[in-house]
Amino acid sequence: MYIVAALTFLSVLTVCYRFDPLRAHPNLDPVPHFRHDISMTTASLRALSVHFLTATGAVFAMLAMLEAVQEDWPMMFLWLVVAFVVDGIDGPLARKYDVKTNAAQFDGVLLDLIIDYLTYVFIPAFALFSSGLLPGWTGWCALLIITFASVIYFADTRMKTSDNSFQGFPG
């Protein structure tokens, strides 16, 4: 939990004190300058907090991956379940707080896709391969087919409905 709190704190600092050396120094002066943005509204803060909630899925995915590397499958599944819960509630919250308008500096769709690929594809495929459930060449084939087919699916522009929900599995 300390990791999540630290990441959230750093994210807030990044948003409130945006590092912008190119705009401040067209000659690419390496001295960083920060500008304070006090124009945050309640709607912006709510929308931004939804992005931060979504981003915690990456932390939970990393924790699941670390458990998978250690072959602690129950803990891996626990962290994946936590990530799935976050994934289940961040979309409706994003639509409720209109993150595309109120926190447009972050692409929530891209953020969600990256985390979904990790939690729904990459980590489970790694676990399937490293657990020995599919030994030898069958494991290698499954690993390659799962990761390749899934990344093609995730890149398909037709996979989302008009309200940015997934259509098909795992939507």
Side-chain angles (χ1 to χ4, degrees):
M1 282 297 140
Y2 292 114
I3 294 171
V4 175
L7 287 173
T8 303
F9 176 73
L10 290 174
S11 299
V12 169
L13 283 180
T14 302
V15 171
C16 293
Y17 298 98
R18 293 185 199 139
F19 177 61
D20 196 357
L22 295 177
R23 195 173 306 156
H25 299 283
N27 62 353
L28 300 178
D29 183 357
V31 178
H33 292 302
F34 296 89
R35 62 185 159 87
H36 185 66
D37 184 1
I38 57 173
S39 63
M40 286 287 207
T41 64
T42 302
S44 295
L45 288 173
R46 284 181 180 157
L48 194 58
S49 68
V50 173
H51 284 313
F52 293 158
L53 175 66
T54 302
T56 63
V59 174
F60 299 131
M62 177 55 76
L63 294 171
M65 187 68 184
L66 291 173
E67 297 297 346
V69 167
Q70 295 177 7
E71 297 184 357
D72 187 350
W73 310 121
M75 284 304 296
M76 180 203 72
F77 282 112
L78 176 67
W79 288 119
L80 285 177
V81 166
V82 173
F84 296 155
V85 169
V86 169
D87 186 45
I89 62 175
D90 68 348
L93 287 174
R95 288 182 279 284
K96 178 179 180 180
Y97 294 115
D98 194 17
V99 297
K100 284 190 173 188
T101 302
N102 295 317
Q105 68 270 36
F106 296 104
D107 187 345
V109 173
L110 181 60
L111 181 64
D112 191 55
L113 283 175
I114 292 167
I115 295 167
D116 284 354
Y117 187 79
L118 289 172
T119 57
Y120 286 99
V121 177
F122 194 83
I123 295 169
F126 174 82
L128 182 66
F129 179 79
S130 65
S131 68
L133 288 173
L134 297 173
W137 67 270
T138 56
W140 280 101
C141 287
L143 182 72
L144 298 175
I145 290 169
I146 290 168
T147 55
F148 180 80
S150 297
V151 80
I152 294 299
Y153 172 74
F154 272 72
D156 188 345
T157 57
R158 301 166 297 173
M159 67 181 263
K160 290 252 184 162
T161 61
S162 60
D163 70 343
N164 284 325
S165 298
F166 284 101
Q167 66 185 8
F169 182 80

